[in-house]
Amino acid sequence: MIGRLRGELVSKQPPFLLLEVQGVGYEIEAPLSTFYNLPEPGGQVTLHTHLHVREDAHVLYGFASESERGLFRSLIRVSGVGAKMALAILSGMSAEDFARCVMNGDTASLVRLPGIGRKTAERLVVEMRDRLASLPATAAVAGGQQAAAAAAAPDPVSDAVSALVSLGYRPQEASRLISAVEGEAERSEDLIRLALKATLK
C-alpha cells in the first residue's frame, strides 16, 4: 500500500495531478479541497494517499491531510458509495459541514452534491453517524451534536422517529417503522438502521 508521497508537482488539472517522486511520475486523483492547497507546478507537495485496486486498474487517490483520507476511507465503506462519489462529497463540502449534515439528518444538503440521490443520502446519514466520532476531522462536530441530541432527546424511540421524519417520512409512517423494530435494539441509531433496512426489502 502506498500511504504517502512527497515530491514535485508536475501538473494539476482537477481531478488529476501528476507528482514526480525520485524520477517516477504518479498520476493521482484528488478532491477539490486538496487542490485548493496545492502550490504552482514545480513546488514540493506531500500527499496522504489511498491505493484503490479494481479489476481493471489501480487508482491512486491523494489528500492534503490524514483526516481527509480517513473520511474518504469511511465513505467508500458505505453501501452504494464508491471512490468517485466519495471524491465528489469531499469536493462539494468540508468534512465539518458533512459531519453536521449527517448528525442533523440533513439529506436535503447531501442530495445537492453530484451523484447523491435521496436513498444514498439516507444511507450516509445512518451509516456514517457512528463512524464520524472516530475521525479527527469530524470528531468535535459529531461529539457536540451527539451531546446536544442526548440532552434534548434521551428517549431513543422518540429520537429515532424524529430522525426518520427529518429524512422525509410522514410522522405516522415513521412511528410505524420504528414500532416494528423497537424490541430489536436499544440505541436510536440502530433502530433507524433496522427500520430503513426493512423498507428496502
Side-chain angles (χ1 to χ4, degrees):
M1 178 67 74
I2 302 173
R4 188 175 72 167
L5 290 173
R6 178 176 175 79
E8 180 182 327
L9 181 64
V10 178
S11 63
K12 56 178 181 177
Q13 185 172 0
F16 297 99
L17 61 91
L18 185 63
L19 190 67
E20 183 174 330
V21 181
Q22 296 183 349
V24 179
Y26 291 88
E27 187 175 73
I28 300 169
E29 289 191 53
L32 291 179
S33 54
T34 292
F35 274 87
Y36 296 148
N37 296 313
L38 291 177
E40 291 302 312
Q44 290 294 307
V45 175
T46 298
L47 292 176
H48 301 274
T49 57
H50 173 84
L51 180 61
H52 191 68
V53 179
R54 303 197 315 246
E55 290 184 4
D56 59 341
H58 289 193
V59 183
L60 194 60
Y61 296 94
F63 307 90
S65 66
E66 287 188 72
S67 57
E68 252 190 356
R69 182 180 64 181
L71 180 54
F72 173 85
R73 286 175 169 173
S74 289
L75 285 168
I76 61 176
R77 290 168 53 202
V78 175
S79 175
V81 177
K84 294 289 187 185
M85 187 177 293
L87 275 192
I89 292 171
L90 287 168
S91 294
M93 62 174 55
S94 69
E96 292 80 6
D97 287 340
F98 175 76
R100 290 188 186 93
C101 288
V102 169
M103 300 310 297
N104 292 330
D106 184 7
T107 56
S109 293
L110 293 175
V111 297
R112 294 191 190 103
L113 298 171
I116 306 292
R118 180 173 176 270
K119 291 296 183 183
T120 300
E122 290 174 356
R123 282 198 300 271
L124 285 169
V125 167
V126 172
E127 296 189 32
M128 287 297 296
R129 184 167 283 166
D130 290 337
R131 300 177 192 174
L132 291 175
S134 64
L135 298 174
T138 57
V141 174
Q145 294 284 350
Q146 287 172 337
D155 179 8
V157 173
S158 297
D159 194 27
V161 171
S162 297
L164 288 183
V165 170
S166 72
L167 292 177
Y169 289 88
R170 295 188 300 274
Q172 297 89 344
E173 184 181 12
S175 296
R176 179 181 59 78
L177 289 171
I178 296 301
S179 294
V181 297
E182 184 176 346
E184 299 178 35
E186 296 181 357
R187 297 190 312 160
S188 60
E189 293 88 350
D190 296 330
L191 289 171
I192 297 167
R193 186 178 296 110
L194 289 170
L196 289 176
K197 186 179 294 185
T199 65
L200 299 177
K201 290 182 180 179

